[in-house]
Each structure stands twice: as structure tokens, then as C-alpha cells.
């Protein structure tokens, strides 16, 4: 780690000048601001703006997890996975994926599009803002990736090469531990309010939940369907408003360092689980109408996903036995698996390390009921009956659970 050179506000200009491909992206002779803006768990992120109104974002992967410090080493090669997945995804659906301009593999620095006219979706949700259309667009993004990076859209040899290049064990291990295992088997990183200790213990002692998470972890580790984003929560999505309207003007996925060939439904479940967490916040604050709106995002994402997948289906490379029945089978399985992954994502954000501002910024007495509701909702989801996995019916069922458990 001693020879690892950190990017700083002071060295950023000379770094940009050293990268010919970045010439013209910002005027380093007329800079207006240079800031470190990273608020994620892992990396350094800088935003540079010039006086002509142009901007550039630089992100450097550290050799450890930023959230905890040097005690948790982590391969900075994760930046390569981020770049390769962002490029592959951007090629498929440029409107909904941040654009990468440059990658320096020696220093693990990515230069990408300035999205400072956007905001992180989680923050917008927590402010009570609506960006209508964003949930559907993220579904469209997942649908494009599911088709375009899988055996449906890539020639056999290309697929094999893409899969090999995307093997990302260090980051997958984080997910396997933090998302699937630790909410149920504490490895010393879990925490809840004292008032929620019983809820966490009940979760860990719930055999149906343990079995469901065992299945979810197995799917995650074995179902190499497509080059998924791998961490598609609402903090990995940027949104821009249309002035004076609740419509979303632009929405882009970013931060895909967890990308690998994994289950398509994992990305859907990440979105769904985080919409449910946003709904839990709204219920806690007594904003029931907003909670219903947040729960409605589940269906919107599914609709965008399904429409995009069906739209691309006729161009599948091998239609010999992958006929329309296969598409129906895939969609049916993904719908059910997405709920399973949503349940995992929900419980990890309440019990495990790396929580969400949605819940953590609530006053403690409201947080207690919101956290309990999310855990109960996760346990309800893994008990859904076969054939009753629709996005709307699942979200409605969850809404009732969240409302019932909120602090009165
Ligand atoms: C140690 S990294 C903790 C979490 O941050 C990322 O956003 C992922 O969700 C990961 O699980
Ligand atoms: Mg992240």
C-alpha cells in the first residue's frame, strides 16, 4: 500500500493534464472548483469544474474499503470491473448509463461524465422528491443488460471472454457476506437499535428466511446469466429533475464496481428492496401517499424491464430452441427471484454493515418501527406462494406490513 499514490485536490489538475485523452474535457487553466465529493463506502470521487461550465468526474479505487479504513484491504482492480461494465452497458443503453472517458489501470483512476446537474436518487427520495419515469427507465436498463450481455445477445466466444474478464471474486465476496450471510449469522459487523435487537434475533432464528437466503446466495454465486450491475441500489442511480415538474429529465446508473456475470434478478431485487426501504421511511414519517407512490416503483421497474426484454427478444442470436416459451419462463423465474433478492437487500440494510440514510436519518423512535417493518416485510416476501409473485401484489402486501409495524 506504501507505493499507492492517492489522488488529491492538489494533484488533480496535473493528473488531468497528464492524460492526453482528457484534453478539452475541462480547461485546467481556468478551473472554478475542485472538490472531493465521495460519499460512498469504497472510493475517492472528485469533481472538477471550469469557468466555462464544463466539468469532469474522477474516481479512484483505494486499496481498502473507505467505510472502514485500511483494516479491510480491497483490490483496487474493482475500478476495471466498473469501467468495463459501464462501457458495455453504455454501449447498449447510452441514455441510462454514465459515460466513461478514460481509465488509468496503473492508478485505478476513472474519468467520467460530470453529472453534477443530477443528484443521487436516494438523496432525492429522502428529500421527498419525485422523479417520475426513473424507476421504469432503470427497469429498461436492466432489461437491455439482461439481453445484450447474455447468451441471447453475444456470440458464444464473445460471451465466454466477457464472462472470464468479469470474474470479480473480491467484490462478490462482500455481497455474499454482507447481503446473504451476515444478516443471519453475525460476523461482528451487525448493529441495530436496542429496541430492534429482538427483531434481528427473530430474523436470524427464522428457518424459512435462512433457507430462502441460502437459495438466494446459491443463485448469486452460480447463475451467471448476464453482466449485471451488482449493486443497483438507489445510491447507484443519478436523477435530474425537469424544472417545475415531478418528471425525471434524466436518469443514469453508475458505480458498477460489483459487476460480474450473475443473476439478472439481483439487479431488479436491489431496486425493489430499496424502493421498499424508501416506502418504510415515508410510512414512518406519516407520509402514506408517498409510501404508496414508492411501492408503486416496484411495478414501474418491472414494466420497464419486461418491455425492454420483450422488445429485444426477436433479435436473439439463437432462436432455434429459445422460442417464445423460453422468454415467458425467464420472465416468470426472474419475477420470483427478484423478490428473493429484494428480501436479502432489505434485511442487510437494517441489520448488517452499510446501512441506508433512508432509515438511519429517521429519529430513533421512528427508526425502530421502520426497521422492524422492513425486517418483517423481508420475512413476508420469502413466504410468498408460488404463482403470487407479481410486483404489484408483492408491493401491496409489503405496504400493509410496513404500515402495521411503524412506530405509532
Ligand atoms: C464494504 S462495501 C459495503 C457496501 O457498499 C456497497 O455499496 C455495497 O452495497 C456493499 O455491500
Ligand atoms: Mg457503491
Amino acid at each position: 500500500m506504501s507505493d499507492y499514490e492517492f489522488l488529491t485536490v492538489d494533484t488533480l489538475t496535473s493528473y488531468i493534464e497528464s492524460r492526453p485523452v482528457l484534453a478539452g474535457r475541462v480547461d485546467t487553466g481556468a478551473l472554478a472548483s475542485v472538490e472531493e465529493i465521495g460519499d460512498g463506502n469504497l472510493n475517492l470521487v472528485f469533481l472538477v469544474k471550469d469557468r466555462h461550465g464544463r466539468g469532469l468526474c474522477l474516481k479512484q479505487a483505494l486499496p481498502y474499503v473507505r467505510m472502514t479504513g485500511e483494516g479491510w484491504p480491497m483490490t483496487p482492480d474493482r475500478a476495471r470491473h466498473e469501467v468495463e461494465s459501464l462501457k458495455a452497458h453504455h454501449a447498449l443503453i447510452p441514455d441510462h448509463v454514465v459515460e466513461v472517458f478514460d481509465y488509468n489501470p496503473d492508478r485505478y483512476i476513472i474519468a467520467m461524465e460530470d453529472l453534477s446537474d443530477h443528484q443521487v436518487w436516494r438523496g432525492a427520495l429522502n428529500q421527498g422528491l419525485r422523479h417520475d419515469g426513473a424507476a421504469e427507465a432503470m427497469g429498461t436498463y436492466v432489461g437491455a443488460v439482461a439481453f445484450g450481455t447474455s447468451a441471447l445477445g453475444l456470440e458464444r466466444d464473445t460471451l465466454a471472454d466477457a464472462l472470464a474478464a468479469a470474474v470479480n471474486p473480491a467484490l462478490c465476496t462482500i455481497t455474499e457476506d454482507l447481503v446473504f450471510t451476515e444478516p443471519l449469522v453475525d460476523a461482528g459487523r451487525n448493529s441495530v437499535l436496542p429496541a430492534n435487537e429482538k427483531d434481528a434475533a427473530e430474523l436470524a432464528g427464522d428457518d424459512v428466511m435462512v433457507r430462502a437466503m441460502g437459495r438466494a446466495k446459491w443463485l448469486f454465486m452460480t447463475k451467471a446469466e448476464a453482466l449485471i450491475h451488482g449493486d443497483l441500489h438507489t445510491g447507484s442511480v443519478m436523477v435530474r429533475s425537469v424544472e417545475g415538474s415531478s418528471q425525471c429529465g434524466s436518469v443514469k446508473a453508475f458505480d458498477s464496481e460489483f459487476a460480474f456475470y450473475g443473476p439478472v434478478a439481483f439487479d431488479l431485487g436491489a431496486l425493489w428492496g430499496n424502493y421498499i426501504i424508501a416506502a418504510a421511511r415515508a410510512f414512518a414519517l406519516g407520509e402514506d401517499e408517498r409510501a404508496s407512490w414508492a411501492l408503486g416503483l416496484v411495478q414501474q421497474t418491472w414494466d420497464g424491464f419486461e418491455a425492454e426484454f420483450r422488445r429485444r427478444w426477436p433479435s436473439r442470436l439463437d432462436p432455434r430452441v429459445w422460442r417464445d416459451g423460453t422468454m415467458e419462463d425467464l420472465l416468470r423465474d426472474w419475477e420470483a427471484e427478484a423478490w428473493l433478492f429484494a428480501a436479502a437487500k432489505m434485511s442487510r440494510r437494517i441489520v448488517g454493515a452499510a446501512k441506508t440514510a433512508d432509515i438511519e436519518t429517521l429519529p430513533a423512535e421512528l427508526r425502530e418501527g421502520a426497521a422492524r417493518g422492513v425486517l418483517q416485510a423481508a420475512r413476508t416476501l420469502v413466504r410468498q406462494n408460488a404463482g403470487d409473485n407479481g410486483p404489484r401484489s408483492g408491493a401491496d402486501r409489503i405496504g400493509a406490513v410496513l404500515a402495521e409495524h411503524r412506530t405509532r
Side-chain angles (χ1 to χ4, degrees):
M1 206 181 303
S2 54
D3 58 349
Y4 188 96
E5 191 187 343
F6 290 83
L7 205 51
T8 68
V9 165
D10 296 330
T11 57
L12 211 74
T13 309
S14 59
Y15 175 76
I16 293 170
E17 288 167 349
S18 76
R19 303 294 294 176
V21 69
L22 297 179
R25 290 284 173 198
V26 278
D27 183 349
T28 49
L31 289 184
S33 60
V34 181
E35 290 172 274
E36 205 280 310
I37 57 162
D39 65 352
N41 295 323
L42 288 153
N43 308 294
L44 292 175
V45 186
F46 297 87
L47 184 65
V48 192
K49 306 271 262 183
D50 70 18
R51 291 201 289 273
H52 317 295
R54 287 175 301 189
L56 188 64
C57 178
L58 282 103
K59 176 170 177 178
Q60 185 178 34
L62 303 177
Y64 53 79
V65 172
R66 181 178 180 166
M67 182 178 88
T68 51
E70 295 184 24
W72 189 346
M74 188 52 54
T75 172
D77 188 48
R78 62 186 186 263
R80 175 180 63 82
H81 289 289
E82 178 167 349
V83 166
E84 290 177 357
S85 57
L86 286 177
K87 285 186 168 175
H89 294 179
H90 189 269
L92 287 164
I93 184 155
D95 283 353
H96 296 319
V97 182
V98 67
E99 184 175 4
V100 170
F101 300 135
D102 181 39
Y103 178 55
N104 179 342
D106 299 323
R107 295 191 56 198
Y108 311 103
I109 298 171
I110 309 170
M112 63 188 124
E113 188 182 356
D114 164 23
L115 292 177
S116 55
D117 59 347
H118 292 57
Q119 69 182 123
V120 176
W121 199 11
R122 187 186 302 287
L125 288 163
N126 288 346
Q127 286 170 31
L129 300 175
R130 283 172 61 150
H131 287 84
D132 290 326
E136 183 179 350
M138 280 300 97
T140 309
Y141 159 64
V142 179
V145 167
F147 187 93
T149 66
S150 71
L152 300 168
L154 294 180
E155 296 290 355
R156 190 65 189 85
D157 289 355
T158 311
L159 174 67
D161 290 345
L163 196 145
V167 172
N168 192 0
L171 281 277
C172 285
T173 300
I174 294 181
T175 303
E176 289 150 23
D177 290 343
L178 266 55
V179 176
F180 299 112
T181 304
E182 293 185 19
L184 302 166
V185 184
D186 189 6
R189 290 192 275 236
N190 290 357
S191 62
V192 287
L193 289 172
N196 289 124
E197 277 169 12
K198 183 163 173 278
D199 304 294
E202 283 174 7
L203 180 86
D206 179 347
D207 291 341
V208 177
M209 185 75 188
V210 174
R211 185 165 174 175
M213 292 303 104
R215 186 167 116 73
K217 182 171 176 175
W218 176 259
L219 291 172
F220 180 81
M221 295 179 72
T222 61
K223 205 168 187 209
E225 293 177 312
L227 180 60
I228 66 170
H229 179 287
D231 194 26
L232 193 55
H233 54 83
T234 52
S236 295
V237 179
M238 300 291 279
V239 289
R240 192 184 66 214
S241 308
V242 173
E243 215 179 310
S245 145
S246 67
Q247 272 310 112
C248 185
S250 168
V251 51
K252 290 175 193 270
F254 71 109
D255 207 16
S256 55
E257 66 205 310
F258 285 77
F260 76 115
Y261 265 79
V264 164
F266 187 71
D267 282 350
L268 293 170
L271 289 165
W272 289 7
N274 281 271
Y275 301 154
I276 290 165
I277 288 171
R281 175 185 175 83
F283 273 127
L285 294 171
E287 298 168 0
D288 290 23
E289 204 174 307
R290 183 170 171 78
S292 305
W293 169 83
L295 290 168
L297 301 178
V298 170
Q299 180 73 50
Q300 291 173 29
T301 288
W302 178 262
D303 288 345
F305 169 75
E306 183 177 357
E308 181 66 9
F309 193 74
R310 286 185 186 278
R311 189 182 74 75
R312 290 180 184 251
W313 182 258
S315 61
R316 64 201 179 280
L317 294 177
D318 182 359
R320 291 172 300 172
V321 294
W322 288 339
R323 301 185 193 169
D324 289 352
T326 301
M327 179 183 65
E328 302 302 338
D329 291 344
L330 289 171
L331 289 168
R332 184 203 55 226
D333 290 350
W334 287 334
E335 197 176 63
E337 289 170 12
W339 278 127
L340 190 63
F341 290 127
K345 292 287 198 167
M346 288 154 58
S347 35
R348 69 77 55 109
R349 293 294 185 194
I350 299 299
V351 173
K355 302 193 189 307
T356 66
D358 317 40
I359 304 297
E360 295 305 295
T361 59
L362 289 169
E365 69 280 8
L366 299 186
R367 206 186 322 156
E368 176 192 337
R372 183 170 299 126
V374 173
L375 295 183
Q376 288 291 340
R379 294 172 65 193
T380 301
L381 283 173
V382 300
R383 288 170 163 80
Q384 292 197 137
N385 299 322
D388 190 15
N389 295 316
R392 187 156 337 255
S393 54
D396 287 348
R397 196 173 306 129
I398 287 321
V401 174
L402 295 178
E404 181 193 337
H405 290 282
R406 68 176 141 179
T407 309
R408 300 274 174 193

